[in-house]
Amino acid sequence: MTAAADPVKTMKQEVGKAAAALVKSGTIVGLGTGSTTAYAIQYIGDRLKSGDLKDIVGIPTSFQAEVLSKQYGIPLTTLDAIDHIDLAIDGADEVDPQKNLIKGGGAAHTREKVVDYLAQQFIVVVDSGKLVDRLGSVFAVPVEVIPMAISPVMRAIEKLGGKPELRMGVKKAGPVITDQGNMVVDVRFDAIDNPAELEKTLNNIPGVLENGIFVNCTDLVLIGEVQDGQPVVRQM
């Protein structure tokens, strides 16, 4: 398929390739979730197959990442078996100029947060459409909630000025259930002036497991753009 035919797909592939190229032999790699990260996993697998990369193990952040990693021949381990993560690669739904993120479009943000914060270097792969001046301007904040607490959590969020909505399944009747067996509430805020503060406040609501605001953890953002019909990758 030519770049002109599907520039967005080509751009995601190029960003994934750029991230995969940063993986070094003998390292432990956090493998994120989502369409752009899926290409990174594919290219890491290609590098292993060609012998360009040796002795790496992956820590998947979701069932999706696990399935893809197995498909592309990446050996996997668990957090119980290791004491550090050298590098994590993951996508994002929004990235602000301070490299703060909103994640959780794929409802994997809890496991992603555990892995991405542990990593010595955390690389975010996005297309330029994910860049925002302020967090929350396009994307709602996903909040993972244990099922019994859904009603009180939604009331508490409303008191904070948020507009919560239970995420419902597509091609599935009823709510989205995370890999941990919980539900996701997507919360719209008129403005998120202080992402770090909001992240803490949301996580302090009893029944909330984790939310999709990621602050002060991103080391590098690889941004894919299409310029004159050609995919370009730039860094932030």
Side-chain angles (χ1 to χ4, degrees):
M1 194 175 243
T2 63
D6 191 353
V8 174
K9 182 182 171 187
T10 312
M11 171 179 77
K12 285 184 172 193
Q13 286 172 323
E14 290 303 318
V15 178
K17 201 178 273 182
L22 296 171
V23 176
K24 295 183 174 79
S25 290
T27 57
I28 300 167
V29 187
L31 301 167
T33 308
S35 56
T36 310
T37 318
Y39 288 120
I41 291 173
Q42 182 184 335
Y43 290 119
I44 291 168
D46 289 351
R47 288 186 63 201
L48 278 171
K49 223 179 274 135
S50 72
D52 177 39
L53 197 58
K54 290 181 178 64
D55 303 326
I56 70 147
V57 284
I59 301 266
T61 57
S62 64
F63 186 61
Q64 182 219 20
E66 193 176 321
V67 170
L68 280 173
S69 302
K70 285 176 180 165
Q71 190 182 326
Y72 293 114
I74 301 172
L76 298 177
T77 186
T78 63
L79 291 174
D80 295 331
I82 53 138
D83 62 357
H84 73 286
I85 297 173
D86 297 292
L87 173 72
I89 300 169
D90 213 341
D93 300 301
E94 281 190 353
V95 182
D96 77 4
Q98 286 74 47
K99 300 203 276 275
N100 295 319
L101 319 172
I102 288 182
K103 291 172 55 49
H109 51 284
T110 299
R111 281 169 70 171
E112 288 169 345
K113 201 175 260 193
V114 172
V115 170
D116 298 343
Y117 274 75
L118 277 174
Q120 278 153 17
Q121 189 186 19
F122 175 35
I123 297 174
V124 173
V125 288
V126 290
D127 57 79
S128 55
K130 305 287 167 64
L131 302 181
V132 294
D133 292 332
R134 296 171 65 141
L135 284 191
S137 36
V138 183
F139 216 80
V141 178
V143 180
E144 183 164 347
V145 183
I146 62 172
M148 68 164 282
I150 277 291
S151 297
V153 166
M154 285 174 90
R155 285 195 295 271
I157 285 170
E158 280 168 355
K159 283 199 182 116
L160 293 175
K163 298 177 192 67
E165 195 175 305
L166 186 61
R167 188 182 300 182
M168 302 309 275
V170 178
K171 299 186 182 174
K172 168 199 177 290
V176 166
I177 303 297
T178 69
D179 287 355
Q180 289 74 245
N182 298 311
M183 295 177 182
V184 176
V185 175
D186 290 306
V187 187
R188 296 237 164 240
F189 290 95
D190 291 335
I192 299 175
D193 297 319
N194 188 335
E197 202 53 44
L198 184 61
E199 181 193 22
K200 285 196 196 98
T201 304
L202 287 169
N203 279 358
N204 275 335
I205 299 171
V208 169
L209 181 60
E210 192 48 87
N211 70 78
I213 298 173
F214 284 52
V215 289
N216 305 325
C217 70
T218 308
D219 297 298
L220 175 67
V221 184
L222 297 176
I223 303 152
E225 295 178 310
V226 178
Q227 293 173 5
D228 305 324
Q230 293 303 310
V232 180
V233 178
R234 65 182 173 91
Q235 297 189 353
M236 170 164 124

